Amino acid sequence: DIQMTQSPSTLSAFVGDRVTITCRASQTISSWLAWYQQKPGKAPKLLIYKASNLESGVPSRFSGSGSGTEFTLTISSLQPDDFATYYCQQYYSYHSFGQGTKLQIK
Amino acid sequence: EVQLVESGGGVVRPGGSLRLSCVASGFTFDDYGMSWVRQAPGKGLEWVSGINWNGGSTGYADSVKGRFTISRDNAKNSLYLQMNSLRAEDTAFYHCTRAGLGTGNYLGWFDPWGQGTLVTVSS
């Protein structure tokens, strides 16, 4: 099974900050990685697929990069609506998710 | 509008069974693989099971293998999850979700997601 590890688990930041969340896979997954945003009481929302492709309708301040085993999600300038929990997911072999990163307002 | 609506959740005793359903609309259902993903209250996401476009290929997480069965009825635009021998650790919201690749395989990113149906396993 492929294990996905996100860091940090919790991140505090100000509106306007640039933030980066890292996701590491226990083995290579090529670029078969997605990122999701989840707000309390809501279903996850797709942000990025195939490591760096922005889903339609997602603001351009979100970007993804990486391949192999190390990936990042960057938010270039945090907006109030961005405070949520973020998950990475590999789909190279079955599916598995990172444990999540809770982005909190500072 | 693409939409997935789950139903069938509830409270069940350990060892009991439950069948979840998901009705899809707004897209050609039999073009896509589908999956169930669960989330225990306050916890992270866990893929449970997936099925390809015609039901000929399925996959399960180790935690549910041998207890859960995924199926679909393309004529009814519906996805199902039969859950047997339920355990307390199966308590979670169960989300129906579509594989993003559109190749008919259940591998891929997940989009969209249903709001989920809550399964509580408790004596």
Side-chain angles (χ1 to χ4, degrees):
Chain A
D1 293 4
I2 299 176
Q3 309 300 319
M4 306 301 291
T5 304
Q6 285 182 235
S7 60
S9 295
T10 306
L11 178 57
S12 297
F14 292 104
V15 172
D17 281 353
R18 177 185 180 91
V19 299
T20 297
I21 299 169
T22 298
C23 179
R24 290 186 174 87
S26 59
Q27 64 186 75
T28 183
I29 57 170
S30 185
S31 296
W32 303 122
L33 184 103
W35 289 96
Y36 301 88
Q37 177 193 69
Q38 188 179 33
K39 295 182 178 179
K42 300 292 188 181
K45 173 189 173 184
L46 177 69
L47 299 175
I48 303 279
Y49 61 93
K50 208 175 177 185
S52 60
N53 291 269
L54 193 68
E55 170 68 354
S56 176
V58 174
S60 59
R61 63 181 179 272
F62 290 90
S63 63
S65 65
S67 67
T69 62
E70 187 151 337
F71 302 84
T72 59
L73 172 71
T74 299
I75 309 172
S76 60
S77 178
L78 273 174
Q79 298 302 301
D81 191 50
D82 300 337
F83 292 95
T85 300
Y86 293 84
Y87 294 93
C88 63
Q89 175 228 345
Q90 67 81 19
Y91 48 94
Y92 178 83
S93 174
Y94 289 106
H95 306 87
S96 49
F97 293 89
Q99 80 277 18
T101 295
K102 185 174 183 178
L103 180 54
Q104 302 178 144
I105 191 163
K106 189 180 281 186
Chain B
E1 178 193 5
V2 175
Q3 197 169 12
L4 300 168
V5 179
E6 305 94 337
S7 61
V11 180
V12 61
R13 295 192 186 280
S17 298
L18 213 52
R19 188 193 195 210
L20 306 184
S21 299
C22 168
V23 177
S25 59
F27 65 100
T28 304
F29 185 65
D30 56 11
D31 277 350
Y32 290 86
M34 300 291 294
S35 277
W36 289 97
V37 176
R38 69 185 180 184
Q39 186 170 34
K43 302 297 184 183
L45 301 168
E46 180 189 16
W47 175 75
V48 173
S49 181
I51 187 168
N52 77 331
W53 71 278
N54 67 355
S57 176
T58 59
Y60 298 90
D62 287 344
S63 57
V64 306
K65 202 172 293 183
R67 300 187 299 122
F68 290 11
T69 303
I70 192 171
S71 62
R72 64 189 294 161
D73 184 339
N74 288 343
K76 295 182 178 179
N77 285 355
S78 292
L79 176 72
Y80 305 102
L81 186 67
Q82 177 67 44
M83 304 186 295
N84 298 331
S85 303
L86 282 161
R87 306 166 180 167
E89 55 264 36
D90 296 318
T91 294
F93 285 94
Y94 285 73
H95 296 273
C96 166
T97 185
R98 185 183 74 173
L101 279 170
T103 61
N105 195 318
Y106 61 84
L107 285 176
W109 61 89
F110 296 134
D111 180 61
W113 297 59
Q115 281 303 303
T117 187
L118 179 61
V119 172
T120 303
V121 184
S122 174
S123 54

